[in-house]
Amino acid sequence: MNNLVIFGAPGAGKGTHATILAEKYNLYHLSTGDRLRQEVASQSALGLEIKAVMERGDLVDDDTVTRIVNKAIIEDPRGIIFDGFPRTVRQAKVLDLLLEIYHQKINCVVRIDVPRDELIRRIKDRSVTSGRKDDTDEAIIKRRLDEYENKTFPVIDYYRQNGVLLNIDASGSIEQTKARIAEAVAKHM
Ligand code: AMP
């Protein structure tokens, strides 16, 4: 079974390229951000708990997020493309353990790399259609990028050491990035 991780800063295009890869390789597209937004929208007890955290642009706690991921692994028989997860080294270690329990592994981690100025521009463009509060406010956007640099950046080293990291320059168009990802990922599937 194939499992992929798509990894990149907010605004890098993780959702777009995860959708493309999910279709190509018949994977279940698990976006932890989407799942968490659904919880908030449903006004569940968990949703009410995490609403303020997400609106600030902070990361939701590891236990909440790993519970969601565990449930998804059980729910869908296909392999998974993880979008927006793991975001901390602790989450990355939990993911390895979870996959081991189910006798699975990660084929590769696709890191899409975009300069910070371009990320801010893309998030602001996206805010016109996404309707997301955390895409509109420049202070929250910066907070999310800081969270990425402080807590998520170390995850890159974790995967580099495990030998599964693919670095993709994603500063160009969607089509250019799509082609670069396709070429790199094909060797691992
Ligand atoms: P995203 O849609 O991936 O940009 O995520 C939006 C927000 O959801 C983030 O700013 C976090 O508050 C939360 N979130 C999504 N995925 C995770 C995760 N793996 N760990 C912690 N928080 C997350």
Side-chain angles (χ1 to χ4, degrees):
M1 196 181 288
N2 293 311
N3 292 291
L4 300 177
V5 174
I6 188 138
F7 191 91
K14 295 188 295 292
T16 303
H17 293 291
T19 305
I20 294 169
L21 288 166
E23 207 166 287
K24 183 166 181 186
Y25 292 108
N26 186 32
L27 301 171
Y28 173 46
H29 177 187
L30 173 63
S31 158
T32 45
D34 282 351
R35 287 281 181 128
L36 293 166
R37 277 186 289 278
Q38 281 162 13
E39 283 293 337
V40 173
S42 74
Q43 301 192 323
S44 65
L46 173 63
L48 295 173
E49 219 174 276
I50 61 177
K51 186 171 187 275
V53 177
M54 291 181 72
E55 280 180 359
R56 279 200 305 271
D58 288 345
L59 290 184
V60 172
D61 67 282
D62 287 337
D63 288 345
T64 298
V65 180
T66 49
R67 258 202 309 278
I68 289 174
V69 170
N70 188 23
K71 203 165 147 243
I73 295 177
I74 297 166
E75 256 170 27
D76 199 286
R78 291 172 294 174
I80 298 180
I81 178 153
F82 296 94
D83 164 6
F85 178 90
R87 262 178 154 100
T88 63
V89 172
R90 182 154 170 255
Q91 291 180 11
K93 289 182 176 166
V94 171
L95 179 60
D96 282 346
L97 286 175
L98 280 177
L99 291 175
E100 207 180 305
I101 292 170
Y102 300 111
H103 307 291
Q104 293 184 47
K105 62 174 182 51
I106 295 168
N107 298 49
C108 56
V109 174
V110 181
R111 177 199 170 197
I112 48 177
D113 193 20
V114 178
R116 189 173 163 117
D117 287 355
E118 172 67 9
L119 290 169
I120 295 176
R121 200 186 62 72
R122 288 188 190 179
I123 294 173
K124 284 186 173 165
D125 278 358
R126 180 173 76 183
S127 73
V128 177
T129 50
S130 74
R132 281 173 55 176
K133 251 190 190 168
D134 63 346
D135 281 350
T136 318
D137 183 320
E138 180 135 358
I140 297 174
I141 295 172
K142 290 200 165 135
R143 171 102 195 132
R144 289 165 64 208
L145 295 177
D146 290 345
E147 283 280 86
Y148 177 76
E149 280 161 22
N150 296 331
K151 295 185 185 157
T152 309
F153 229 71
V155 181
I156 297 171
D157 274 337
Y158 178 80
Y159 284 126
R160 188 178 290 123
Q161 280 160 21
N162 289 2
V164 290
L165 186 73
L166 303 174
N167 264 310
I168 307 288
D169 172 0
S171 56
S173 69
I174 292 177
E175 282 308 314
Q176 281 169 335
T177 303
K178 180 181 163 186
R180 285 184 188 136
I181 293 176
E183 193 190 348
V185 168
K187 295 175 191 145
H188 298 265
M189 303 298 274

mmCIF file of all heavy atoms in Angstrom, residues 8-11 14-15 31-37 50-62 64-66 69 83-88 91 123 126 132 134-135 140 143-145 147 152, ligand 1:
data_model
loop_
_atom_site.group_PDB
_atom_site.id
_atom_site.type_symbol
_atom_site.label_atom_id
_atom_site.label_comp_id
_atom_site.label_asym_id
_atom_site.label_seq_id
_atom_site.Cartn_x
_atom_site.Cartn_y
_atom_site.Cartn_z
ATOM 1 N N GLY A 8 4.685 21.361 3.375
ATOM 2 C CA GLY A 8 5.060 22.702 2.936
ATOM 3 C C GLY A 8 4.384 23.744 3.802
ATOM 4 O O GLY A 8 3.451 23.430 4.562
ATOM 5 N N ALA A 9 4.821 24.975 3.689
ATOM 6 C CA ALA A 9 4.275 26.063 4.507
ATOM 7 C C ALA A 9 2.822 26.353 4.102
ATOM 8 O O ALA A 9 2.409 26.006 2.994
ATOM 9 C CB ALA A 9 5.122 27.317 4.306
ATOM 10 N N PRO A 10 2.060 27.023 4.978
ATOM 11 C CA PRO A 10 0.726 27.478 4.570
ATOM 12 C C PRO A 10 0.861 28.301 3.280
ATOM 13 O O PRO A 10 1.757 29.141 3.162
ATOM 14 C CB PRO A 10 0.291 28.366 5.741
ATOM 15 C CG PRO A 10 1.054 27.859 6.914
ATOM 16 C CD PRO A 10 2.377 27.403 6.369
ATOM 17 N N GLY A 11 -0.013 28.004 2.314
ATOM 18 C CA GLY A 11 0.018 28.754 1.060
ATOM 19 C C GLY A 11 0.903 28.152 -0.017
ATOM 20 O O GLY A 11 0.915 28.616 -1.153
ATOM 21 N N LYS A 14 -0.163 22.768 -0.868
ATOM 22 C CA LYS A 14 -0.268 21.361 -0.431
ATOM 23 C C LYS A 14 -1.592 20.745 -0.875
ATOM 24 O O LYS A 14 -1.623 19.637 -1.398
ATOM 25 C CB LYS A 14 -0.214 21.253 1.107
ATOM 26 C CG LYS A 14 1.080 21.658 1.748
ATOM 27 C CD LYS A 14 1.089 21.324 3.240
ATOM 28 C CE LYS A 14 0.083 22.077 4.097
ATOM 29 N NZ LYS A 14 0.317 23.503 4.239
ATOM 30 N N GLY A 15 -2.693 21.465 -0.646
ATOM 31 C CA GLY A 15 -4.029 20.942 -0.955
ATOM 32 C C GLY A 15 -4.163 20.630 -2.433
ATOM 33 O O GLY A 15 -4.638 19.555 -2.812
ATOM 34 N N SER A 31 -6.695 15.789 4.804
ATOM 35 C CA SER A 31 -6.222 17.119 5.190
ATOM 36 C C SER A 31 -6.630 17.351 6.644
ATOM 37 O O SER A 31 -7.823 17.459 6.947
ATOM 38 C CB SER A 31 -6.853 18.187 4.281
ATOM 39 O OG SER A 31 -6.825 19.449 4.930
ATOM 40 N N THR A 32 -5.645 17.404 7.538
ATOM 41 C CA THR A 32 -5.991 17.615 8.952
ATOM 42 C C THR A 32 -6.623 19.001 9.136
ATOM 43 O O THR A 32 -7.528 19.165 9.954
ATOM 44 C CB THR A 32 -4.759 17.443 9.874
ATOM 45 O OG1 THR A 32 -3.647 18.130 9.310
ATOM 46 C CG2 THR A 32 -4.436 15.977 10.063
ATOM 47 N N GLY A 33 -6.184 19.991 8.348
ATOM 48 C CA GLY A 33 -6.783 21.327 8.433
ATOM 49 C C GLY A 33 -8.272 21.277 8.112
ATOM 50 O O GLY A 33 -9.103 21.843 8.833
ATOM 51 N N ASP A 34 -8.640 20.546 7.027
ATOM 52 C CA ASP A 34 -10.055 20.421 6.644
ATOM 53 C C ASP A 34 -10.843 19.721 7.749
ATOM 54 O O ASP A 34 -11.947 20.135 8.108
ATOM 55 C CB ASP A 34 -10.208 19.615 5.342
ATOM 56 C CG ASP A 34 -9.885 20.446 4.108
ATOM 57 O OD1 ASP A 34 -9.711 21.670 4.251
ATOM 58 O OD2 ASP A 34 -9.785 19.863 3.011
ATOM 59 N N ARG A 35 -10.275 18.631 8.281
ATOM 60 C CA ARG A 35 -10.964 17.896 9.353
ATOM 61 C C ARG A 35 -11.210 18.787 10.571
ATOM 62 O O ARG A 35 -12.282 18.763 11.172
ATOM 63 C CB ARG A 35 -10.113 16.688 9.805
ATOM 64 C CG ARG A 35 -10.090 15.570 8.820
ATOM 65 C CD ARG A 35 -11.384 14.765 8.940
ATOM 66 N NE ARG A 35 -11.373 13.674 8.004
ATOM 67 C CZ ARG A 35 -11.604 12.404 8.329
ATOM 68 N NH1 ARG A 35 -11.869 12.067 9.567
ATOM 69 N NH2 ARG A 35 -11.586 11.484 7.406
ATOM 70 N N LEU A 36 -10.197 19.565 10.914
ATOM 71 C CA LEU A 36 -10.325 20.430 12.092
ATOM 72 C C LEU A 36 -11.342 21.544 11.830
ATOM 73 O O LEU A 36 -12.136 21.890 12.699
ATOM 74 C CB LEU A 36 -8.947 21.010 12.472
ATOM 75 C CG LEU A 36 -7.933 19.974 12.979
ATOM 76 C CD1 LEU A 36 -6.523 20.551 12.991
ATOM 77 C CD2 LEU A 36 -8.299 19.495 14.373
ATOM 78 N N ARG A 37 -11.345 22.089 10.605
ATOM 79 C CA ARG A 37 -12.338 23.121 10.255
ATOM 80 C C ARG A 37 -13.750 22.536 10.300
ATOM 81 O O ARG A 37 -14.685 23.214 10.722
ATOM 82 C CB ARG A 37 -12.042 23.724 8.867
ATOM 83 C CG ARG A 37 -10.985 24.826 8.917
ATOM 84 C CD ARG A 37 -10.810 25.509 7.565
ATOM 85 N NE ARG A 37 -10.154 24.650 6.594
ATOM 86 C CZ ARG A 37 -8.841 24.470 6.521
ATOM 87 N NH1 ARG A 37 -8.035 25.116 7.336
ATOM 88 N NH2 ARG A 37 -8.309 23.672 5.618
ATOM 89 N N ILE A 50 -11.076 24.010 20.006
ATOM 90 C CA ILE A 50 -9.942 24.337 19.132
ATOM 91 C C ILE A 50 -10.163 25.597 18.290
ATOM 92 O O ILE A 50 -9.224 26.080 17.670
ATOM 93 C CB ILE A 50 -9.594 23.153 18.188
ATOM 94 C CG1 ILE A 50 -10.783 22.800 17.271
ATOM 95 C CG2 ILE A 50 -9.157 21.947 18.987
ATOM 96 C CD1 ILE A 50 -10.486 21.686 16.280
ATOM 97 N N LYS A 51 -11.377 26.121 18.314
ATOM 98 C CA LYS A 51 -11.714 27.274 17.452
ATOM 99 C C LYS A 51 -10.737 28.447 17.650
ATOM 100 O O LYS A 51 -10.146 28.955 16.701
ATOM 101 C CB LYS A 51 -13.150 27.717 17.777
ATOM 102 C CG LYS A 51 -13.697 28.799 16.880
ATOM 103 C CD LYS A 51 -15.192 28.982 17.158
ATOM 104 C CE LYS A 51 -15.845 29.919 16.175
ATOM 105 N NZ LYS A 51 -15.750 31.313 16.510
ATOM 106 N N ALA A 52 -10.548 28.834 18.921
ATOM 107 C CA ALA A 52 -9.707 30.004 19.207
ATOM 108 C C ALA A 52 -8.253 29.744 18.805
ATOM 109 O O ALA A 52 -7.576 30.638 18.273
ATOM 110 C CB ALA A 52 -9.793 30.356 20.687
ATOM 111 N N VAL A 53 -7.800 28.513 19.038
ATOM 112 C CA VAL A 53 -6.408 28.152 18.695
ATOM 113 C C VAL A 53 -6.192 28.346 17.196
ATOM 114 O O VAL A 53 -5.209 28.960 16.760
ATOM 115 C CB VAL A 53 -6.129 26.662 19.066
ATOM 116 C CG1 VAL A 53 -4.734 26.254 18.658
ATOM 117 C CG2 VAL A 53 -6.366 26.420 20.546
ATOM 118 N N MET A 54 -7.138 27.835 16.404
ATOM 119 C CA MET A 54 -7.005 27.930 14.950
ATOM 120 C C MET A 54 -7.135 29.377 14.477
ATOM 121 O O MET A 54 -6.422 29.796 13.574
ATOM 122 C CB MET A 54 -8.046 27.043 14.270
ATOM 123 C CG MET A 54 -7.746 25.576 14.484
ATOM 124 S SD MET A 54 -8.931 24.514 13.682
ATOM 125 C CE MET A 54 -8.500 24.722 11.953
ATOM 126 N N GLU A 55 -8.024 30.122 15.098
ATOM 127 C CA GLU A 55 -8.195 31.521 14.671
ATOM 128 C C GLU A 55 -6.945 32.353 14.956
ATOM 129 O O GLU A 55 -6.669 33.316 14.264
ATOM 130 C CB GLU A 55 -9.419 32.121 15.363
ATOM 131 C CG GLU A 55 -10.702 31.683 14.656
ATOM 132 C CD GLU A 55 -11.973 32.226 15.283
ATOM 133 O OE1 GLU A 55 -11.883 32.944 16.309
ATOM 134 O OE2 GLU A 55 -13.054 31.925 14.754
ATOM 135 N N ARG A 56 -6.191 31.957 15.986
ATOM 136 C CA ARG A 56 -4.942 32.676 16.293
ATOM 137 C C ARG A 56 -3.838 32.304 15.321
ATOM 138 O O ARG A 56 -2.819 32.962 15.249
ATOM 139 C CB ARG A 56 -4.454 32.299 17.697
ATOM 140 C CG ARG A 56 -5.124 33.019 18.847
ATOM 141 C CD ARG A 56 -4.255 32.943 20.098
ATOM 142 N NE ARG A 56 -3.907 31.585 20.482
ATOM 143 C CZ ARG A 56 -4.644 30.814 21.297
ATOM 144 N NH1 ARG A 56 -5.762 31.276 21.801
ATOM 145 N NH2 ARG A 56 -4.244 29.612 21.608
ATOM 146 N N GLY A 57 -3.998 31.176 14.625
ATOM 147 C CA GLY A 57 -2.938 30.700 13.730
ATOM 148 C C GLY A 57 -1.962 29.789 14.442
ATOM 149 O O GLY A 57 -0.898 29.465 13.917
ATOM 150 N N ASP A 58 -2.308 29.343 15.674
ATOM 151 C CA ASP A 58 -1.457 28.408 16.420
ATOM 152 C C ASP A 58 -1.750 26.983 15.971
ATOM 153 O O ASP A 58 -2.787 26.713 15.360
ATOM 154 C CB ASP A 58 -1.749 28.495 17.931
ATOM 155 C CG ASP A 58 -1.213 29.782 18.527
ATOM 156 O OD1 ASP A 58 -0.386 30.444 17.864
ATOM 157 O OD2 ASP A 58 -1.633 30.135 19.641
ATOM 158 N N LEU A 59 -0.864 26.066 16.353
ATOM 159 C CA LEU A 59 -1.105 24.657 16.060
ATOM 160 C C LEU A 59 -2.038 24.061 17.107
ATOM 161 O O LEU A 59 -1.942 24.383 18.296
ATOM 162 C CB LEU A 59 0.202 23.859 16.059
ATOM 163 C CG LEU A 59 1.179 24.131 14.913
ATOM 164 C CD1 LEU A 59 2.371 23.188 15.000
ATOM 165 C CD2 LEU A 59 0.519 24.008 13.551
ATOM 166 N N VAL A 60 -2.917 23.166 16.664
ATOM 167 C CA VAL A 60 -3.780 22.402 17.571
ATOM 168 C C VAL A 60 -2.882 21.345 18.240
ATOM 169 O O VAL A 60 -1.867 20.930 17.675
ATOM 170 C CB VAL A 60 -4.929 21.750 16.755
ATOM 171 C CG1 VAL A 60 -5.750 20.799 17.591
ATOM 172 C CG2 VAL A 60 -5.808 22.856 16.154
ATOM 173 N N ASP A 61 -3.249 20.906 19.468
ATOM 174 C CA ASP A 61 -2.372 19.987 20.202
ATOM 175 C C ASP A 61 -2.209 18.640 19.485
ATOM 176 O O ASP A 61 -3.108 18.179 18.778
ATOM 177 C CB ASP A 61 -2.902 19.775 21.635
ATOM 178 C CG ASP A 61 -4.217 19.032 21.626
ATOM 179 O OD1 ASP A 61 -5.260 19.660 21.340
ATOM 180 O OD2 ASP A 61 -4.209 17.829 21.868
ATOM 181 N N ASP A 62 -1.048 18.032 19.695
ATOM 182 C CA ASP A 62 -0.679 16.802 18.994
ATOM 183 C C ASP A 62 -1.686 15.674 19.218
ATOM 184 O O ASP A 62 -2.002 14.924 18.290
ATOM 185 C CB ASP A 62 0.705 16.318 19.468
ATOM 186 C CG ASP A 62 1.835 17.197 18.938
ATOM 187 O OD1 ASP A 62 1.631 17.866 17.904
ATOM 188 O OD2 ASP A 62 2.909 17.218 19.556
ATOM 189 N N THR A 64 -4.950 15.665 19.858
ATOM 190 C CA THR A 64 -6.187 15.840 19.083
ATOM 191 C C THR A 64 -5.957 15.454 17.626
ATOM 192 O O THR A 64 -6.735 14.705 17.034
ATOM 193 C CB THR A 64 -6.656 17.318 19.154
ATOM 194 O OG1 THR A 64 -6.931 17.627 20.506
ATOM 195 C CG2 THR A 64 -7.866 17.576 18.292
ATOM 196 N N VAL A 65 -4.860 15.946 17.080
ATOM 197 C CA VAL A 65 -4.608 15.721 15.655
ATOM 198 C C VAL A 65 -4.287 14.250 15.389
ATOM 199 O O VAL A 65 -4.789 13.660 14.422
ATOM 200 C CB VAL A 65 -3.462 16.640 15.159
ATOM 201 C CG1 VAL A 65 -3.195 16.411 13.689
ATOM 202 C CG2 VAL A 65 -3.813 18.101 15.385
ATOM 203 N N THR A 66 -3.506 13.621 16.251
ATOM 204 C CA THR A 66 -3.152 12.218 15.981
ATOM 205 C C THR A 66 -4.364 11.300 16.144
ATOM 206 O O THR A 66 -4.462 10.285 15.461
ATOM 207 C CB THR A 66 -1.973 11.728 16.863
ATOM 208 O OG1 THR A 66 -2.217 12.061 18.214
ATOM 209 C CG2 THR A 66 -0.684 12.361 16.439
ATOM 210 N N VAL A 69 -6.063 11.375 12.843
ATOM 211 C CA VAL A 69 -5.304 10.614 11.837
ATOM 212 C C VAL A 69 -5.496 9.117 12.041
ATOM 213 O O VAL A 69 -5.722 8.365 11.084
ATOM 214 C CB VAL A 69 -3.807 11.003 11.901
ATOM 215 C CG1 VAL A 69 -2.958 10.076 11.056
ATOM 216 C CG2 VAL A 69 -3.627 12.449 11.452
ATOM 217 N N ASP A 83 -1.937 15.482 4.213
ATOM 218 C CA ASP A 83 -1.804 16.899 3.819
ATOM 219 C C ASP A 83 -1.924 17.751 5.093
ATOM 220 O O ASP A 83 -2.978 17.784 5.718
ATOM 221 C CB ASP A 83 -2.932 17.190 2.800
ATOM 222 C CG ASP A 83 -3.210 18.668 2.577
ATOM 223 O OD1 ASP A 83 -2.489 19.517 3.107
ATOM 224 O OD2 ASP A 83 -4.183 18.957 1.852
ATOM 225 N N GLY A 84 -0.826 18.392 5.471
ATOM 226 C CA GLY A 84 -0.855 19.230 6.682
ATOM 227 C C GLY A 84 -0.526 18.451 7.937
ATOM 228 O O GLY A 84 -0.679 18.956 9.046
ATOM 229 N N PHE A 85 -0.072 17.240 7.777
ATOM 230 C CA PHE A 85 0.307 16.365 8.889
ATOM 231 C C PHE A 85 1.444 15.481 8.410
ATOM 232 O O PHE A 85 1.351 14.956 7.302
ATOM 233 C CB PHE A 85 -0.888 15.495 9.311
ATOM 234 C CG PHE A 85 -0.570 14.534 10.426
ATOM 235 C CD1 PHE A 85 -0.744 14.906 11.745
ATOM 236 C CD2 PHE A 85 -0.078 13.259 10.148
ATOM 237 C CE1 PHE A 85 -0.436 14.028 12.779
ATOM 238 C CE2 PHE A 85 0.232 12.379 11.183
ATOM 239 C CZ PHE A 85 0.046 12.773 12.495
ATOM 240 N N PRO A 86 2.491 15.256 9.201
ATOM 241 C CA PRO A 86 2.751 15.796 10.529
ATOM 242 C C PRO A 86 3.317 17.219 10.489
ATOM 243 O O PRO A 86 3.967 17.607 9.540
ATOM 244 C CB PRO A 86 3.799 14.830 11.077
ATOM 245 C CG PRO A 86 4.509 14.307 9.877
ATOM 246 C CD PRO A 86 3.523 14.294 8.761
ATOM 247 N N ARG A 87 3.052 17.955 11.557
ATOM 248 C CA ARG A 87 3.530 19.334 11.649
ATOM 249 C C ARG A 87 4.520 19.511 12.799
ATOM 250 O O ARG A 87 5.039 20.614 12.982
ATOM 251 C CB ARG A 87 2.356 20.270 11.858
ATOM 252 C CG ARG A 87 1.857 20.936 10.571
ATOM 253 C CD ARG A 87 0.673 21.766 10.969
ATOM 254 N NE ARG A 87 0.387 22.896 10.148
ATOM 255 C CZ ARG A 87 -0.552 22.921 9.207
ATOM 256 N NH1 ARG A 87 -1.200 21.838 8.905
ATOM 257 N NH2 ARG A 87 -0.820 24.042 8.576
ATOM 258 N N THR A 88 4.722 18.480 13.591
ATOM 259 C CA THR A 88 5.743 18.528 14.649
ATOM 260 C C THR A 88 6.498 17.191 14.592
ATOM 261 O O THR A 88 5.975 16.208 14.043
ATOM 262 C CB THR A 88 5.115 18.661 16.056
ATOM 263 O OG1 THR A 88 4.318 17.492 16.313
ATOM 264 C CG2 THR A 88 4.242 19.903 16.185
ATOM 265 N N GLN A 91 4.484 14.477 16.119
ATOM 266 C CA GLN A 91 3.471 13.912 15.205
ATOM 267 C C GLN A 91 4.119 12.953 14.197
ATOM 268 O O GLN A 91 3.551 11.916 13.861
ATOM 269 C CB GLN A 91 2.732 15.025 14.458
ATOM 270 C CG GLN A 91 1.812 15.867 15.332
ATOM 271 C CD GLN A 91 1.090 16.959 14.544
ATOM 272 O OE1 GLN A 91 1.105 16.998 13.325
ATOM 273 N NE2 GLN A 91 0.471 17.878 15.265
ATOM 274 N N ILE A 123 -1.501 33.262 -0.135
ATOM 275 C CA ILE A 123 -2.552 33.127 0.894
ATOM 276 C C ILE A 123 -3.567 34.263 0.736
ATOM 277 O O ILE A 123 -4.776 34.046 0.818
ATOM 278 C CB ILE A 123 -1.950 33.115 2.317
ATOM 279 C CG1 ILE A 123 -1.103 31.861 2.531
ATOM 280 C CG2 ILE A 123 -3.064 33.167 3.373
ATOM 281 C CD1 ILE A 123 -0.336 31.814 3.834
ATOM 282 N N ARG A 126 -5.745 33.535 -2.162
ATOM 283 C CA ARG A 126 -6.668 32.451 -1.827
ATOM 284 C C ARG A 126 -7.819 32.932 -0.949
ATOM 285 O O ARG A 126 -8.934 32.423 -1.028
ATOM 286 C CB ARG A 126 -5.879 31.350 -1.103
ATOM 287 C CG ARG A 126 -6.703 30.162 -0.685
ATOM 288 C CD ARG A 126 -5.834 29.044 -0.138
ATOM 289 N NE ARG A 126 -5.350 29.304 1.204
ATOM 290 C CZ ARG A 126 -4.526 28.508 1.880
ATOM 291 N NH1 ARG A 126 -4.063 27.421 1.323
ATOM 292 N NH2 ARG A 126 -4.149 28.796 3.105
ATOM 293 N N ARG A 132 -11.658 31.874 4.419
ATOM 294 C CA ARG A 132 -11.032 31.526 5.697
ATOM 295 C C ARG A 132 -10.522 32.778 6.398
ATOM 296 O O ARG A 132 -9.753 33.544 5.834
ATOM 297 C CB ARG A 132 -9.871 30.551 5.461
ATOM 298 C CG ARG A 132 -10.318 29.143 5.238
ATOM 299 C CD ARG A 132 -9.169 28.243 4.837
ATOM 300 N NE ARG A 132 -8.049 28.263 5.788
ATOM 301 C CZ ARG A 132 -6.981 27.496 5.668
ATOM 302 N NH1 ARG A 132 -6.878 26.657 4.664
ATOM 303 N NH2 ARG A 132 -6.010 27.555 6.561
ATOM 304 N N ASP A 134 -8.390 32.881 8.767
ATOM 305 C CA ASP A 134 -6.936 32.831 8.989
ATOM 306 C C ASP A 134 -6.142 33.119 7.715
ATOM 307 O O ASP A 134 -4.921 33.183 7.740
ATOM 308 C CB ASP A 134 -6.513 31.498 9.648
ATOM 309 C CG ASP A 134 -6.793 30.267 8.780
ATOM 310 O OD1 ASP A 134 -7.543 30.395 7.788
ATOM 311 O OD2 ASP A 134 -6.258 29.191 9.103
ATOM 312 N N ASP A 135 -6.834 33.274 6.561
ATOM 313 C CA ASP A 135 -6.159 33.664 5.317
ATOM 314 C C ASP A 135 -6.218 35.181 5.094
ATOM 315 O O ASP A 135 -5.535 35.707 4.211
ATOM 316 C CB ASP A 135 -6.839 32.994 4.111
ATOM 317 C CG ASP A 135 -6.428 31.536 3.926
ATOM 318 O OD1 ASP A 135 -5.483 31.093 4.609
ATOM 319 O OD2 ASP A 135 -7.049 30.862 3.083
ATOM 320 N N ILE A 140 -2.202 37.119 11.397
ATOM 321 C CA ILE A 140 -2.443 35.672 11.580
ATOM 322 C C ILE A 140 -1.649 34.865 10.545
ATOM 323 O O ILE A 140 -1.077 33.821 10.869
ATOM 324 C CB ILE A 140 -3.961 35.342 11.495
ATOM 325 C CG1 ILE A 140 -4.702 36.049 12.624
ATOM 326 C CG2 ILE A 140 -4.204 33.834 11.567
ATOM 327 C CD1 ILE A 140 -6.206 35.929 12.580
ATOM 328 N N ARG A 143 1.789 34.646 11.810
ATOM 329 C CA ARG A 143 1.843 33.733 12.951
ATOM 330 C C ARG A 143 1.889 32.277 12.449
ATOM 331 O O ARG A 143 2.657 31.456 12.942
ATOM 332 C CB ARG A 143 0.603 33.967 13.813
ATOM 333 C CG ARG A 143 0.355 33.022 14.896
ATOM 334 C CD ARG A 143 0.780 33.621 16.242
ATOM 335 N NE ARG A 143 0.849 32.553 17.210
ATOM 336 C CZ ARG A 143 1.835 32.341 18.023
ATOM 337 N NH1 ARG A 143 2.865 33.155 18.037
ATOM 338 N NH2 ARG A 143 1.822 31.360 18.863
ATOM 339 N N ARG A 144 1.081 31.964 11.430
ATOM 340 C CA ARG A 144 1.071 30.604 10.880
ATOM 341 C C ARG A 144 2.422 30.272 10.232
ATOM 342 O O ARG A 144 2.925 29.156 10.363
ATOM 343 C CB ARG A 144 -0.066 30.458 9.853
ATOM 344 C CG ARG A 144 -1.440 30.444 10.533
ATOM 345 C CD ARG A 144 -2.567 30.676 9.541
ATOM 346 N NE ARG A 144 -2.701 29.651 8.555
ATOM 347 C CZ ARG A 144 -3.202 29.838 7.335
ATOM 348 N NH1 ARG A 144 -3.615 31.048 6.957
ATOM 349 N NH2 ARG A 144 -3.310 28.850 6.508
ATOM 350 N N LEU A 145 3.001 31.262 9.546
ATOM 351 C CA LEU A 145 4.307 31.002 8.921
ATOM 352 C C LEU A 145 5.393 30.832 9.989
ATOM 353 O O LEU A 145 6.290 29.997 9.848
ATOM 354 C CB LEU A 145 4.665 32.130 7.943
ATOM 355 C CG LEU A 145 3.738 32.239 6.715
ATOM 356 C CD1 LEU A 145 4.123 33.426 5.849
ATOM 357 C CD2 LEU A 145 3.789 30.964 5.871
ATOM 358 N N GLU A 147 4.855 29.616 13.048
ATOM 359 C CA GLU A 147 4.621 28.274 13.611
ATOM 360 C C GLU A 147 5.287 27.221 12.715
ATOM 361 O O GLU A 147 5.904 26.274 13.191
ATOM 362 C CB GLU A 147 3.114 27.962 13.691
ATOM 363 C CG GLU A 147 2.380 28.638 14.833
ATOM 364 C CD GLU A 147 2.579 27.924 16.159
ATOM 365 O OE1 GLU A 147 3.588 28.223 16.834
ATOM 366 O OE2 GLU A 147 1.746 27.083 16.525
ATOM 367 N N THR A 152 7.498 23.175 12.570
ATOM 368 C CA THR A 152 7.366 22.201 11.492
ATOM 369 C C THR A 152 8.677 21.992 10.740
ATOM 370 O O THR A 152 8.946 20.908 10.241
ATOM 371 C CB THR A 152 6.228 22.616 10.537
ATOM 372 O OG1 THR A 152 5.063 22.888 11.320
ATOM 373 C CG2 THR A 152 5.867 21.517 9.554
HETATM 374 P P1 AMP B 1 -4.057 24.058 7.054
HETATM 375 O O1 AMP B 1 -5.382 23.960 6.398
HETATM 376 O O2 AMP B 1 -3.210 22.805 6.865
HETATM 377 O O3 AMP B 1 -3.293 25.309 6.704
HETATM 378 O O4 AMP B 1 -4.331 24.127 8.643
HETATM 379 C C1 AMP B 1 -5.089 25.172 9.201
HETATM 380 C C2 AMP B 1 -4.923 25.172 10.716
HETATM 381 O O5 AMP B 1 -5.354 23.913 11.256
HETATM 382 C C3 AMP B 1 -3.496 25.340 11.214
HETATM 383 O O6 AMP B 1 -3.127 26.705 11.272
HETATM 384 C C4 AMP B 1 -3.606 24.699 12.597
HETATM 385 O O7 AMP B 1 -4.243 25.546 13.516
HETATM 386 C C5 AMP B 1 -4.521 23.519 12.343
HETATM 387 N N1 AMP B 1 -3.798 22.292 11.937
HETATM 388 C C6 AMP B 1 -3.895 21.623 10.743
HETATM 389 N N2 AMP B 1 -3.118 20.532 10.730
HETATM 390 C C7 AMP B 1 -2.509 20.485 11.934
HETATM 391 C C8 AMP B 1 -1.558 19.600 12.532
HETATM 392 N N3 AMP B 1 -1.073 18.535 11.862
HETATM 393 N N4 AMP B 1 -1.145 19.877 13.797
HETATM 394 C C9 AMP B 1 -1.625 20.935 14.480
HETATM 395 N N5 AMP B 1 -2.496 21.821 13.972
HETATM 396 C C10 AMP B 1 -2.953 21.609 12.713
#
